[in-house]
Amino acid sequence: MHVTVKLFAGLKERAGASSVDLELPDGARVKDAIAAIDHLAPPGMTLVLAVNRVYAAEDQVLSPGDELAVVPPVSGGAGDDAPRIHVAVREEPLSLDALAGFVADPRAGAVVTFDGRTRDVPFLDYEAYAEMAEPLLTEIAAAAVERHGLCAAAVEHRVGRVALGEASVLVAVSAPHRPEAFLGAREIIDVLKERAPFWKKEEGAWKHESVPRPS
């Protein structure tokens, strides 16, 4: 399926064009189109796709003839004081610098990060129920933001093969003071390990370390 996606603002400048042409499989969804143009966005920027001039959910199925436009964050909205949250499940290597950059905030006196890595073995294989994991990670991060008064929170988790020394999960938070930042980051990683649907295979065996509980 051939689609044309309109670009605006900084995305248009980075692409050097006002639109890009994509070839997507039949039945492709909004998230497939976003993934195909995600390289145009600076690290940490969340993109939204408008389909026929209406903001669309990531799981919405695209049809030939749809009018598509990718929308970077707008200049209006809730204001600079609104907490920001970013979550992602990725196959490619994670960047702690990108997450730390996302949570940077002029109100923040502290930024705390957590970098969970493969150790002791040549690699780990991760699988996720991504459609459930990303909304749940958003819920976990939002709860920590609310409870500890964070300025921003970001969480990313790898899937696929993660080699020795590479990051499998990253957490970054910012807060006005260090106690809240430490507590917020600790809460996010601890609850993620208890509830998020990620699975790890180590040396041919799947590890089942926690039984998720309904919230």
Side-chain angles (χ1 to χ4, degrees):
M1 175 173 61
H2 178 84
V3 296
T4 299
V5 184
K6 296 180 179 180
L7 304 174
F8 300 95
L11 299 179
K12 181 169 66 176
E13 292 180 357
R14 290 170 70 91
S18 60
S19 65
V20 293
D21 293 324
L22 302 177
E23 292 294 335
L24 300 175
D26 291 342
R29 300 175 183 271
V30 164
K31 62 185 177 183
D32 299 318
I34 292 176
I37 55 179
D38 189 59
H39 64 283
L40 296 176
M45 177 181 284
T46 299
L47 302 179
V48 176
L49 198 70
V51 179
N52 299 322
R53 304 179 185 180
V54 176
Y55 290 131
E58 288 192 342
D59 285 338
Q60 180 173 324
V61 177
L62 300 174
S63 300
D66 281 343
E67 180 182 314
L68 306 181
V70 64
V71 182
V74 297
S75 57
D80 292 338
D81 291 338
R84 291 171 290 111
I85 295 171
H86 164 77
V87 304
V89 177
R90 300 186 181 278
E91 294 185 7
E92 64 271 17
L94 307 180
S95 169
L96 190 59
D97 288 342
L99 255 64
F102 175 84
V103 302
D105 191 289
R107 298 168 294 159
V111 172
V112 169
T113 62
F114 171 80
D115 182 342
R117 297 185 168 216
T118 298
R119 62 180 173 85
D120 295 337
V121 295
F123 60 85
L124 296 171
D125 290 314
Y126 283 89
E127 185 175 342
Y129 183 5
E131 295 84 355
M132 179 179 177
E134 289 193 347
L136 184 54
L137 292 180
T138 300
E139 176 186 322
I140 292 168
V145 166
E146 177 68 21
R147 194 177 345 269
H148 302 291
L150 306 179
C151 301
V155 190
E156 293 192 352
H157 203 299
R158 283 282 297 276
V159 291
R161 181 153 295 184
V162 183
L164 176 67
E166 291 186 355
S168 58
V169 57
L170 300 179
V171 175
V173 306
S174 61
H177 307 288
R178 68 179 181 274
E180 292 83 0
F182 276 111
L183 288 170
R186 179 64 183 266
E187 176 176 318
I188 289 171
I189 189 60
D190 284 352
V191 177
L192 181 159
K193 288 293 186 180
E194 290 178 358
R195 297 186 58 204
F198 292 93
W199 299 275
K200 175 175 64 178
K201 181 187 280 188
E202 181 178 332
E203 296 183 327
W206 291 103
K207 302 295 183 178
H208 302 102
E209 299 168 346
S210 177
V211 178
R213 303 183 306 275
S215 58

